[in-house]
Amino acid sequence: MAIRRDGRTDAFFDGALRGELVVRRCGECGRWYAPDATGCAGCGAQRLEWAAAEGTGTLVSWAAVHGRGGGPASPIGLVELAEGPWLHAALAGVDAPAEGLALRARFTPQEEGEPLLEFVPA
């Protein structure tokens, strides 16, 4: 299934096309948030900016998603970015997931739709 922009995600996918992970950041107090955040829980600001993140983080938790038709399981992870927010994304090249595993973000082009965010060992 292809990943598609929805208007609210344009900045995220523009960053992805540059190979850059962008997430939300409060311009008032500097707190970082996941891309789907709409306001700052810290200071109450109603508007968040898009900002480039380091693209590094650590694995918090993981699971295997089994596809239809008995195909191989795909690992997904919950990753805490160096800036603080948590993102869930595909894991690639992670043979033995472990809490605290150092990861870095990468974007993999797809035949259709937007690039796929994956985390690989750092």
Side-chain angles (χ1 to χ4, degrees), residues 8-70:
R8 297 178 308 132
T9 57
D10 288 346
F12 179 83
F13 288 118
D14 288 345
L17 290 171
R18 296 188 305 270
E20 180 178 65
L21 177 62
V22 294
V23 295
R24 306 306 295 262
R25 186 168 187 265
C26 179
E28 299 293 322
C29 71
R31 284 184 173 90
W32 292 82
Y33 292 93
D36 60 343
T38 57
C40 182
C43 72
Q46 297 297 309
R47 192 163 189 268
L48 300 176
E49 304 166 350
W50 289 98
E54 261 184 50
T56 61
T58 56
L59 187 60
V60 174
S61 186
W62 61 94
V65 177
H66 299 274
R68 294 181 185 166

Side-chain angles (χ1 to χ4, degrees), residues 23 32-36 58 60-61 77-81 83-89 119:
V23 295
W32 292 82
Y33 292 93
D36 60 343
T58 56
V60 174
S61 186
L78 183 60
V79 178
E80 182 176 11
L81 297 180
E83 293 80 7
W86 290 15
L87 297 181
H88 58 276
F119 281 92

